[in-house]
Amino acid sequence: MECAPRCAHRVCFAHILCWHAEAGGSAGLAASEAASLASYGHLRRAEALQRKSLLEREHLSKTLDFLDPLSDDIPRGAWSIRRDATSNVVTIRSLQWPGSYAYHVAGTPNFGYAYFGFGEKNSDIGFAL
C-alpha cells in the first residue's frame, strides 16, 4: 500500500499532481504531526472523500487534502506507527498487508515506502487487533 505524508504532494492549478517541495511548499511534517496516521494518505484515487458530508469537506484544503488518510482505514488499527525520537524518523507498517512499510523524516521532505511481501492479505488481522 503506497502512502505519503499529507504535505508531500499537492494539486497544482492545472489539476495535476506536483511535488509540494518543488512548488515552494513546506519541508515536511512537524514531529508532532508526523506521529499521527491522519497525516498520511494513500497514493491512489481518493475513495473516502466522496463519502464525506459537505460539512466535513468544507474544512479540507482542495490542494492538500485529496488523499484518503490512513486513519480512516477499516479495520481500525490496521496500521502501526512508530517514531524514533533520536532521529525524528517515523516508520509505518501495515498489519493487513505484511511487508508494507513507509517512513518519513520529520521536518524534511524525505519519505518513502516499500513492499517486501508475497501479495497475501492478512486474513487473521481481527485476531491481532
Side-chain angles (χ1 to χ4, degrees):
M1 306 293 289
E2 300 172 350
C3 63
R6 179 180 172 269
C7 63
H9 300 90
R10 65 175 251 189
V11 177
C12 297
F13 65 92
H15 299 286
I16 58 173
L17 191 64
C18 329
W19 289 98
H20 195 91
E22 289 177 357
S26 67
L29 296 171
S32 58
E33 291 179 299
S36 170
L37 282 176
S39 298
Y40 299 88
H42 290 284
L43 287 177
R44 64 173 189 218
R45 183 180 295 265
E47 299 169 359
L49 290 178
Q50 307 308 327
R51 295 189 298 254
K52 290 189 184 281
S53 70
L54 289 175
L55 199 57
E56 290 173 310
R57 282 190 260 170
E58 180 180 305
H59 299 290
L60 299 176
S61 167
K62 291 183 181 181
T63 59
L64 292 174
D65 297 319
F66 59 91
L67 300 174
D68 292 332
L70 299 183
S71 58
D72 289 351
D73 281 3
I74 298 173
R76 299 272 186 231
W79 293 92
S80 169
I81 189 164
R82 192 169 290 164
R83 180 174 167 251
D84 181 1
T86 59
S87 60
N88 274 341
V89 175
V90 175
T91 54
I92 303 170
R93 69 183 181 105
S94 174
L95 303 177
Q96 193 165 24
W97 293 97
S100 180
Y101 296 92
Y103 77 93
H104 174 58
V105 183
T108 72
N110 301 331
F111 74 96
Y113 56 87
Y115 181 69
F116 300 104
F118 297 106
E120 295 179 10
K121 190 174 184 179
N122 181 6
S123 58
D124 296 330
I125 191 167
F127 297 107
L129 299 178

